[in-house]
Amino acid sequence: MTRHHGPRRARITFSDSAAKQLENITSEAEIHALDRALVVISVDPNVGEQIPGDTAGPRLRQYTDEVEAVRVLYYVTALHTVVVVAYIEV
């Protein structure tokens, strides 16, 4: 019997500035809220809205979870396998 796995999740990585923001999050509730948002993004990297701007670099997207009060700016690599988080607001 073969096991059926769901769609592959994108790997989440952080820019240097987002990693510094992450270090400053100390509240367990904020960490939980951010984790939920990152799971949503990893399952469907296109879930966020595209931010208008320059097309020369990666296209930034914004995911906002109004219930958890989380905002994440990120971009997705060409193969949709890696999501790079550029900014976190919790």
Side-chain angles (χ1 to χ4, degrees):
M1 178 189 284
T2 61
R3 295 181 83 168
H4 175 67
H5 297 281
R8 187 172 180 179
R9 289 184 180 185
R11 192 178 83 215
I12 302 286
T13 63
F14 298 92
S15 68
D16 290 342
S17 60
K20 287 179 185 175
Q21 290 175 304
L22 191 59
E23 290 174 5
N24 293 327
I25 299 174
T26 57
S27 162
E28 196 168 313
E30 289 177 340
I31 291 170
H32 177 71
L34 178 60
D35 281 347
R36 287 175 43 101
L38 294 175
V39 167
V40 169
I41 294 169
S42 72
V43 171
D44 181 7
N46 294 319
V47 70
E49 302 171 354
Q50 242 181 7
I51 297 175
D54 187 6
T55 59
R59 296 297 309 254
L60 280 177
R61 300 186 75 82
Q62 170 180 274
Y63 173 75
T64 305
D65 183 332
E66 302 292 335
V67 174
E68 296 286 351
V70 174
R71 179 174 169 236
V72 178
L73 299 182
Y74 65 97
Y75 65 90
V76 183
T77 60
L79 297 177
H80 290 265
T81 56
V82 178
V83 172
V84 180
V85 174
Y87 175 80
I88 302 166
E89 189 174 286
V90 181

